[in-house]
Structures are given as structure tokens and as C-alpha cells.
Amino acid sequence: MTCSTTVSPYMQRDTFHPLREITTDRDDSGVVHITMPFTPGHTGYAVSRHQDVRDVLSDNTRFRITQTEYADLTDDEAAELRAGQLLEADPPEHTRLRRLLTPEFTMRRMRRLEPRIVEIVETALDDLERGGSPADLVETFALPMPSLVICELLGVPYADRDEFQARSRRMVDGSLSIEQQTDVFREDHTYMRRLVESAQNDPGEDILGMLVREHGAELSTAELTGIASLLLVAGHETTANMLALGTLALLRHPEQLAIMRDEPGNVGAAVEELLRWLSVVPTPMVRTTTTEVQIAGHTIAAGEQILAALPAANRDAASSTNPTSSTCVAEPPVTSRSVTVCTTA
């Protein structure tokens, strides 16, 4: 019998905010011993201060990426699922994959795609308006709009959207057991491999087709499958969460919304601020120490897992140069009008 796991507090939020116990740990010791999410029976350390998290994630010599664990797979099968996954690779492999992908995301290529993306967004907004009030922003806009865009970018048949939406949500579901996680990753790999093989036979004008045409000799089918899978999940689930939570945050802070509405030039900076403030990626970044390290005055041995708590780190008042009150997390201004959403962490 397969049982679900308890969702780690490091993968939960109180609407916008990391849980109080997480920010308390950050402001107290900065490093705590925890049971690791996704790996039942494994323990490690959670790091939640801004500078410490930056140090862990930027140092691939002392902190190596901790690869996903799978249930009942051979080494070759696990390697097949990890191939092409940038989040599973350290340099130099990560560097090689990123070098091949970067040209697909230049400003010139993105501008070529912009007219179709604008059309998709405007159509979705028109549909939302025609539906009248009240409207379910998540179901009628936040979820379907990124689906349409990612289908366009990757050449995914739009008829498959419901299937990949459901699968992408399961892939970031922290309550699944390791056996259930393995099953959903297998399903995703099988689907994406079919998509890659179709692109290899007849490459289109989408990102996957461009990768096949321009880098087909440098990337194996398994690597192309991993890249496509990462882009599909990253481009759908996180975008949908960002749209919904970002809208809710602005509705609850109408003074901020008014600045964006009255001064459209602030939108870009406000999006960057919301990316930091919301930290919508639900999967913690996990590294493994290669040597004994010191973090926030704590000695951690080699071979230990380190969880980088991004939401807590992004709300660390110690990282701000512009605190606004003693009861409010210091939120650095993103425009000259100080467009911030300031709240208690």
C-alpha cells in the first residue's frame, strides 16, 4: 500500500507568506535540523537567511545538487529521467545545457513570438470579460492562458492541455509519496519523449523544433525530453500561480495597484518585486555538502543535505537597505514611487 507523505512546512504558505515557524527559525538560529521533504527518513538542514541561501546556491564546489530520488528504478532508468534536467545538473553539465538553451530565449526570438502571445492573452481576457461577474480568475485565465502559451512555444497539441495541466500539478505536489512521484515523472517522460520524437521527424518553428534543428547533434533524445519537460512544467505551473497570487496581492493592496495602473512604466519593476515577494516555486532547492562547512555559526559535516528555503530568504529583513517600520518586513522599493507590498513575515 502506498501512502501520501505529510507536506513539509517548507512547501506550505499562508496565502502569500512562508509559515510563521519558518520565519521564526530564520530570525533565530538561521539553520535548523529537519526531516527532508520528498525523502522519507532522510534528515538535513534548512537554511533560510538571505545571504546564507545565496552562498549555498552559488557555490557548486561545496554544495552539489541533490538529485531526485526515484522508487524501484534501475540506475539507467533514473539516469534517463534526469537527462537534460537543468535542475538536476551541476557544472560543467549544467553549463553545457544552459549554453545550448540560451540562444532560444534571446530578446530577438522572444519578440518574434510576442504577437502570438499578446493575441492569446487578449483573447483570454476577452473571454473573462464576456463571462461577467463574478469570475474565477484561476480557472478562466491563470491556468488556461499559460497552457496556450506553452503549447505554442513547445509545439504541444492544445488538445493535450488538460492532461499536462493535471500532470504538472502532480509533479510539484509535495504530498505525494516517492512511489507516486516516480509514477508521475515516468508518465511525463513518456509523453514528452513522444513529443520530442515527433519534432525530430518534423521539426516545427517552436522552441523544441529549433533545438532539434540547431542542436540535434549535441543533444540526445533523452536530453531533449528532459529539457522539454522542464520547460513545460516551469512555464505552466509557476506562471499560473504567479498570475493568480500576484493579482490577489495587488487587489489587497489597492494603493500599489493604483500606481501600476496610473504609471504603466512601473509594471516591469513591480513584476520583479512580486516574483521575490511571492516566491511561487513550491519545490525547495536542495544541495549536498561536499566538505565540512560553516553556515550561520553552525558546523555541518560533508554529505549532509541542505534545503534552501527561498520564500523565507526572500523575506529576510536583513537583506533590505530600506526598512519602513519595526513591524513590517523591509521591502526594498522597486520604483521611485516605492512600489512595495509590505507585510509581516
Side-chain angles (χ1 to χ4, degrees), residues 3 15 75 83 101 147 150 167-168 173 267 309 311 313 339:
C3 299
T15 308
D75 290 344
L101 271 177
S147 296
I150 205 67
R167 190 167 51 243
S168 67
D173 186 346
V267 169
V339 181

Side-chain angles (χ1 to χ4, degrees), residues 62-241:
R62 296 188 302 151
F63 304 97
R64 305 293 285 178
I65 285 177
T66 305
Q67 294 184 323
T68 302
E69 289 193 18
Y70 299 109
D72 303 323
L73 294 187
T74 66
D75 290 344
D76 287 344
E77 288 173 328
E80 176 86 4
L81 290 185
R82 293 185 181 117
Q85 291 282 351
L86 277 81
L87 298 182
E88 299 265 350
D90 283 303
E93 180 64 9
H94 183 279
T95 307
R96 179 182 74 89
L97 293 170
R98 187 181 179 108
R99 176 179 56 81
L100 296 176
L101 271 177
T102 297
E104 308 305 326
F105 293 93
T106 61
M107 186 64 70
R108 177 177 59 84
R109 289 197 174 180
M110 290 300 101
R111 282 178 176 160
R112 187 175 68 186
L113 296 168
E114 185 176 359
R116 177 58 181 144
I117 295 174
V118 169
E119 181 183 356
I120 290 171
V121 172
E122 290 182 344
T123 299
L125 288 173
D126 289 342
D127 291 343
L128 185 66
E129 184 177 23
R130 276 193 295 270
S133 180
D136 187 329
L137 180 71
V138 173
E139 293 298 326
T140 59
F141 184 78
L143 279 173
M145 193 278 290
S147 296
L148 280 166
V149 172
I150 205 67
C151 285
E152 193 85 13
L153 294 181
L154 286 177
V156 176
Y158 189 59
D160 295 346
R161 67 191 183 279
D162 290 339
E163 176 188 348
F164 84 71
Q165 280 181 14
R167 190 167 51 243
S168 67
R169 284 195 291 269
R170 289 174 63 207
M171 290 176 74
V172 295
D173 186 346
S175 68
L176 298 184
S177 67
I178 190 170
E179 291 83 8
Q180 291 170 322
Q181 293 166 31
T182 300
D183 286 343
V184 72
F185 277 110
R186 273 175 158 164
E187 291 173 17
D188 176 72
H189 185 81
T190 299
Y191 174 80
M192 296 309 302
R193 188 178 180 94
R194 288 200 303 266
L195 198 67
V196 165
E197 289 172 346
S198 176
Q200 289 172 323
N201 292 328
D202 183 20
E205 294 302 314
D206 49 77
I207 289 176
L208 196 53
M210 288 189 286
L211 282 172
V212 168
R213 283 196 305 273
E214 298 178 16
H215 303 295
E218 302 169 81
L219 292 166
S220 67
T221 298
E223 288 175 327
L224 282 166
T225 300
I227 290 170
S229 176
L230 176 63
L231 293 177
L232 183 64
V233 175
H236 171 247
E237 188 71 14
T238 55
T239 306
N241 291 341

